[in-house]
Amino acid sequence: MGNLFQKWSDTSLVLRIVMGIILGAVLAVAFPSATWLAMLGTLFVGALKAVAPILVFVLVINALASHVSGQKTNMKGIVFLYLFATFIAGAVGVIAAKLFPVKLTFKEVEADLQPPENVWGVMETLLNNIVSNPVDALINANYIGILAWAIVLGLALKAASSTTKTVITNLSEAVSKVVHWVINLAPFGIIGIMYNTIVTSGFGELKHYGTLIIILVGSMLLIALVINPIIVFVVARRNPYPLVWASLRESGLTALFTRSSAANIPVNMELCEKLGLDKNTYAMSIPLGATINMAGAAVTISVLTMSAAYTLDVHVDIATAIILMVVTAISAAGASGVPGGSLLLIPLACGLIGIPNDLAVQVIGVGLIISVVQDSCETALNSSSDVVFTATAEYAAERKNN
């Protein structure tokens, strides 16, 4: 039994996840009534979501409390890369929707949806999250609030005794070990997620929006495989593809199925450690990226907004398109602070080009139909990019110092 477990542990996690995908699909076709299998996915994602806020909280406190004066981090460069890449993604979405216009078939959505009325509504939510009660922030996985409180406590604990700092370090290492155990269960979780997706959602309705899905996925692939590598090469002056492939393989693949940037934080933390990155930096940059690095969301918002404009014969000139790119980037960065994520921010973008709210809300209905593909690819791009840009900023700093 011990040898079998050792062989399992020694097998590449990516290979084990691929095996889980295949097995989940086979079980969904062979035993569509065995719905208890879906519980494997629910438990896995639940475990990741449960441990992620605690992981972020203790890692950031430990990083700041143990920080030696004069030791540099790369947070300024990482934040710039996050925001710049999100803006470029919005531009890609606008251009793609212009080149390949798609007419939408509107469907009503649930009446209790409450999209934000303007950009200030998004920013207000983010500001309120910063001053959220720390216990409430941990319970509700409010990462802006968690980061804010962890930074304050970490700075305050810089003056603590060495014994206290040792306890914090030990706690950080213990939580990291728990995360490692949870991630090793990923193949079983993927079986459940894959099974549930095929049995409950299917892909029948998606064929009606095949072109729209191709534009969205194509734009995201262009960003992941062309634009992000160009950014890495320009900033870090090295071959970007080993980093990009590693991030897509080990972070993007998991995020594709969990469809949660928050759940993927532990996966990204472990990948950063494997890449040998500075823990003081990635302890903060990864959870921050899960909140503001939203290239995939920018693509979704801009493509669906432009498609709605085409459907309703609303002309979008160059100046308006540029403003749309900026607002899309700002809105996408606030997507995680709004219940419903990027889809609920579509009416905000539609309002810029004169589309009434009652029609704009119906665009969300289109997004919900294709969400099984759109949200998966969006999360994979968002989450894998967090690691790419964290590593890029560190590589650039190393090159500058050499």
Side-chain angles (χ1 to χ4, degrees), residues 20-84:
I21 294 169
I22 296 170
L23 185 56
V26 170
L27 289 172
V29 174
F31 307 103
S33 60
T35 52
W36 59 269
L37 285 168
M39 182 62 70
L40 293 173
T42 303
L43 292 173
F44 172 64
V45 175
L48 281 175
K49 286 184 175 180
V51 76
I54 301 170
L55 175 70
V56 171
F57 193 62
V58 298
L59 281 184
V60 172
I61 290 176
N62 182 52
L64 290 174
S66 306
H67 182 73
V68 179
S69 297
Q71 184 179 9
K72 293 184 178 179
T73 62
N74 305 301
M75 286 304 299
K76 288 183 181 178
I78 293 169
V79 171
F80 172 78
L81 288 172
Y82 283 168
L83 298 179
F84 177 73

Side-chain angles (χ1 to χ4, degrees), residues 200-218:
T200 61
S201 299
F203 297 95
E205 272 194 290
L206 298 182
K207 63 184 179 182
H208 300 299
Y209 289 101
T211 304
L212 182 60
I213 292 171
I214 290 171
I215 293 171
L216 282 167
V217 175

Side-chain angles (χ1 to χ4, degrees), residues 39 56 72 85-86 104 139 154 160 165 189 206 215 250 265 277 279 298 315 342 347 369 379-380:
M39 182 62 70
V56 171
K72 293 184 178 179
T86 300
L104 306 178
I139 292 173
K165 291 182 180 180
L206 298 182
I215 293 171
E250 301 195 28
I265 286 175
L277 304 182
K279 194 171 186 177
H315 175 66
S342 59
I369 293 171
T379 308

Side-chain angles (χ1 to χ4, degrees), residues 59-370:
L59 281 184
V60 172
I61 290 176
N62 182 52
L64 290 174
S66 306
H67 182 73
V68 179
S69 297
Q71 184 179 9
K72 293 184 178 179
T73 62
N74 305 301
M75 286 304 299
K76 288 183 181 178
I78 293 169
V79 171
F80 172 78
L81 288 172
Y82 283 168
L83 298 179
F84 177 73
T86 300
F87 172 77
I88 294 297
V92 169
V94 169
I95 294 169
K98 269 283 192 183
L99 293 175
F100 308 100
V102 176
K103 282 201 171 184
L104 306 178
T105 302
F106 292 137
K107 292 191 177 184
E108 292 290 347
V109 295
E110 295 178 17
D112 60 352
L113 291 173
Q114 296 182 341
E117 295 179 0
N118 49 47
V119 176
W120 171 244
V122 177
M123 301 311 295
E124 186 177 18
T125 299
L126 290 178
L127 292 173
N128 285 330
N129 283 341
I130 291 175
V131 295
S132 174
N133 180 290
V135 176
D136 182 70
L138 283 167
I139 292 173
N140 295 305
N142 164 18
Y143 286 96
I144 288 291
I146 291 169
L147 276 173
W149 281 104
I151 289 170
V152 170
L153 286 171
L155 292 174
L157 285 167
K158 285 188 75 172
S161 67
S162 59
T163 305
T164 302
K165 291 182 180 180
T166 300
V167 171
I168 295 170
T169 300
N170 291 341
L171 180 61
S172 171
E173 291 171 351
V175 175
S176 297
K177 185 174 287 187
V178 171
V179 167
H180 179 73
W181 292 341
V182 172
I183 290 174
N184 266 315
L185 296 174
F188 299 103
I190 295 299
I191 290 174
I193 294 170
M194 192 68 183
Y195 177 91
N196 187 58
T197 299
I198 294 177
V199 169
T200 61
S201 299
F203 297 95
E205 272 194 290
L206 298 182
K207 63 184 179 182
H208 300 299
Y209 289 101
T211 304
L212 182 60
I213 292 171
I214 290 171
I215 293 171
L216 282 167
V217 175
S219 298
M220 292 178 193
L221 285 173
L222 178 67
I223 292 165
L225 299 177
V226 179
I227 293 176
N228 282 356
I230 290 174
I231 294 173
V232 174
F233 178 76
V234 170
V235 174
R237 289 288 192 270
R238 63 161 63 192
N239 179 3
Y241 285 101
L243 171 62
V244 170
W245 287 124
S247 299
L248 289 173
R249 184 178 65 246
E250 301 195 28
S251 171
L253 184 61
T254 308
L256 189 71
F257 291 95
T258 62
R259 294 167 63 181
S260 170
S261 293
N264 220 48
I265 286 175
V267 178
N268 281 352
M269 293 277 200
E270 187 154 290
L271 177 55
C272 286
E273 184 177 1
K274 189 183 294 185
L275 292 171
L277 304 182
D278 179 16
K279 194 171 186 177
N280 290 326
T281 298
Y282 72 70
M284 289 181 281
S285 69
I286 294 301
L288 182 64
T291 303
I292 69 169
N293 184 30
M294 293 288 169
V299 171
T300 297
I301 295 168
S302 57
V303 168
L304 286 175
T305 300
M306 292 295 291
S307 296
Y310 177 72
T311 302
L312 299 169
D313 292 323
V314 175
H315 175 66
V316 180
D317 57 28
I318 295 176
T320 305
I322 293 172
I323 294 172
L324 178 61
M325 293 173 196
V326 174
V327 172
T328 295
I330 296 171
S331 302
S336 63
V338 179
S342 59
L343 292 180
L344 281 185
L345 293 171
I346 290 169
L348 189 157
C350 285
L352 285 175
I353 54 179
I355 296 176
N357 195 59
D358 57 338
L359 288 175
V361 170
Q362 291 186 50
V363 182
I364 299 175
V366 176
L368 292 174
I369 293 171
I370 63 172

